[in-house]
Amino acid sequence: MKRATLALVVLAACAAGWSAVAEELPEADKLPVIEEMPDPLVMLDGQRLTEQDQWPARRDQLRQLFEHYMYGKAPPAPESVRFKVRSEDPKYFDGKATKREVTVHYGPEGAPPINLLMVVPNDLGKSAPVVLGLNFCGNHTLLDDETIALPTVWMPNRCPGCEGNKATDKGRGARVGRFDFEYAVERGYSVATFYHGDIDPDVNDFNNGVHPHFREKEARQGPHDWACIAAWAWGLSRAIDYLEKDESIDNERIIVYGHSRNGKTALLCGAFDERVAIVIPHQAGCGGSSPSRSPVGEQLKDINSRFPHWFCGEFHKFNDDPRRLPIDQNCLIAMCAPRPVLLTNAKDDQWADPSGQFDALKSAGKAYRFLGSPGLEAEKQPPLGQPLLSHLGYYIRAGKHSVTRDDWKVFLDFADKRFAK
Ligand code: GCU
């Protein structure tokens, strides 16, 4: 189908208003091939935006396209969340911080709660900005602290100390540094994190985690229903629902961060949830910050075959030709506009396509400039080890797919700079 034909299909759908569009969208194999990443400023019917007040309609359209073709549609936010403070230690890190564990219930009855671990700086004299992110192997692995609750939900056995898909004490402190709590506190930031399996176990099964609690009893997962990454991103938004009620947190300065699959999730959360002030997807790669169309690194057919549960069923139809996608990840970054986004990478992590990510950022920059924000202030990728901390930021260092103190320094330098504006 040519773009003009697609335009007719879409115009017909538009007659019923955008809310009805998702049902009218063409099947993957009926979509036209688009060689380059789709322009974030051009509507699906080919119309280019000319006025800033047209942006919300385009953003809403992009949201529907990502839901329909890629991540699946999550349920609306619950009216409220309930929470219980499980533990609190006001003298953490030699009195520099308060550690808090909070259980967040978002309903319906029986849905698995979020177990949030937070460390908040003391004596700031004001509420603190927060870096919120998912972790891979449980809160207890991130700090050397025997009081932190062990997860009781399903765990992958590759996580340290896990046996028979259960967490054990042996994993305590095994991943210290992944979330650099003490360093963040010293720089005036709080950190909040929870295990992504609290929301949905990372396995190809939609009958566990949150999924069965949000559909009719006999219903099965449909091709456009929320898959794992959408569920995790929705979970991050539920943690934000709680953080908004926590007086020690400045809810104007919420940073959503994540590494790798959790970075893909951070970007989706930031794109969909405008309460997020800054988005930092670290080495997020395919299905996150790198273009689906790029021939470099992980391809859609790789990711969909190894992790079939991360994206909705419809997305698998693009395995052989990602150029049929009416969206690309530049558009997901653009959905964050005008809020700052920082993409961070490592040279030896070509699987995550660092250069493709720079291209996506550049293209997203058009939406930022359209909205009056400077966007990306460079034409070329910066040299190794030299962070580009413009409004849309980029960083690539030597080394591999990992999280280091140096990475955390860059995250917080970026946040300092953006919040100072
Ligand atoms: C795999 C996968 C990546 C993902 C990474 C991770 O390498 O192919 O897409 O980012 O796992 O989450 O650790």
Side-chain angles (χ1 to χ4, degrees):
M1 196 180 347
K2 293 251 164 49
R3 198 175 249 283
T5 327
L6 175 69
L8 284 179
V9 176
V10 174
L11 278 177
C14 280
W18 264 113
S19 55
V21 163
E23 292 87 68
E24 311 281 342
L25 285 168
E27 295 267 326
D29 60 354
K30 305 265 170 2
L31 288 163
V33 165
I34 310 172
E35 295 292 339
E36 303 294 328
M37 287 182 271
D39 190 323
L41 296 177
V42 177
M43 297 290 289
L44 202 51
D45 64 6
Q47 285 185 66
R48 176 168 289 280
L49 310 194
T50 52
E51 308 292 333
Q52 285 182 358
D53 64 6
Q54 295 166 330
W55 175 246
R58 173 59 172 157
R59 193 172 172 276
D60 193 45
Q61 180 180 77
L62 289 172
R63 180 188 183 114
Q64 295 195 43
L65 293 169
F66 278 109
E67 288 174 341
H68 188 82
Y69 290 115
M70 189 164 183
Y71 298 102
K73 189 169 165 54
E79 264 169 34
S80 63
V81 294
R82 288 177 296 115
F83 64 91
K84 195 163 178 250
V85 177
R86 176 191 173 270
S87 77
E88 188 153 57
D89 178 353
K91 298 217 170 347
Y92 219 61
F93 296 145
D94 301 320
K96 281 185 293 198
T98 298
K99 180 205 77 175
R100 200 150 45 237
E101 286 175 278
V102 185
T103 314
V104 183
H105 298 270
Y106 47 83
E109 213 41 54
I114 291 170
N115 299 292
L116 199 64
L117 167 66
M118 298 172 67
V119 180
V120 185
N122 290 337
D123 309 324
L124 268 190
K126 55 181 181 191
S127 53
V130 62
V131 181
L132 165 69
L134 297 173
N135 66 68
F136 280 81
C137 290
N139 299 341
H140 67 296
T141 60
L142 302 174
L143 280 166
D144 221 341
D145 175 347
E146 61 184 23
T147 68
I148 294 173
L150 284 185
T152 53
V153 293
W154 182 94
M155 301 288 304
N157 286 335
R158 66 177 153 68
C159 279
C162 289
E163 290 161 11
N165 298 115
K166 291 264 167 241
T168 73
D169 284 320
K170 290 184 204 156
R172 289 195 177 281
R175 297 193 127 209
V176 166
R178 292 301 182 109
F179 280 78
D180 212 333
F181 296 93
E182 193 163 2
Y183 174 66
V185 160
E186 280 161 6
R187 299 223 15 198
Y189 287 80
S190 37
V191 177
T193 180
F194 65 96
Y195 166 50
H196 56 212
D198 279 0
I199 284 286
D200 194 24
D202 192 0
V203 282
N204 186 19
D205 184 353
F206 292 110
N207 295 316
N208 52 21
V210 282
H211 291 100
H213 298 279
F214 285 87
R215 63 175 183 235
E216 300 296 324
K217 250 211 160 106
E218 303 305 322
R220 302 195 26 210
Q221 175 83 359
H224 308 287
D225 289 342
W226 58 335
C228 198
I229 290 181
W232 290 338
W234 186 91
L236 282 170
S237 288
R238 303 296 66 81
I240 296 175
D241 295 344
Y242 161 73
L243 291 172
E244 283 192 312
K245 295 173 192 259
D246 185 323
E247 288 186 354
S248 64
I249 300 299
D250 177 353
N251 55 35
E252 299 285 307
R253 290 186 295 162
I254 296 175
I255 301 162
V256 172
Y257 155 78
H259 181 221
S260 216
R261 67 199 71 181
N262 295 334
K264 306 180 205 302
T265 308
L267 179 54
L268 181 62
C269 172
F272 279 25
D273 191 333
E274 292 185 276
R275 295 172 298 176
V276 175
I278 292 182
V279 194
I280 307 184
H282 178 52
Q283 302 169 347
C286 184
S289 46
S290 71
S292 299
R293 278 168 175 74
S294 169
V296 179
E298 186 169 26
Q299 301 297 295
L300 296 199
K301 53 178 178 305
D302 299 321
I303 204 165
N304 282 330
S305 58
R306 283 181 65 208
F307 307 99
H309 53 292
W310 283 0
F311 305 95
C312 71
E314 192 68 17
F315 192 56
H316 294 227
K317 297 187 186 159
F318 296 92
N319 280 356
D320 291 330
D321 200 349
R323 297 170 310 163
R324 290 195 187 277
L325 276 168
I327 39 171
D328 212 321
Q329 301 312 98
N330 60 325
C331 297
L332 196 63
I333 301 169
M335 282 183 70
C336 302
R339 294 163 294 146
V341 178
L342 171 69
L343 303 185
T344 48
N345 280 288
K347 180 167 175 287
D348 299 343
D349 186 19
Q350 290 302 315
W351 189 239
D353 188 11
S355 303
Q357 291 188 40
F358 188 79
D359 296 339
L361 208 55
K362 231 167 125 172
S363 168
K366 291 184 210 165
Y368 281 74
R369 285 193 301 279
F370 181 73
L371 295 175
S373 149
L376 184 69
E377 291 178 279
E379 276 301 307
K380 283 214 218 104
Q381 206 177 296
L384 284 190
Q386 293 184 30
L388 166 68
L389 302 182
S390 58
H391 197 86
L392 282 177
Y394 185 87
Y395 176 59
I396 180 161
R397 59 158 164 82
K400 59 181 175 74
H401 191 76
S402 60
V403 184
T404 65
R405 160 64 58 86
D406 173 69
D407 294 331
W408 273 84
K409 179 177 183 307
V410 174
F411 305 155
L412 300 181
D413 287 351
F414 180 72
D416 278 355
K417 193 152 183 200
R418 300 332 319 163
F419 285 146
K421 296 278 159 197

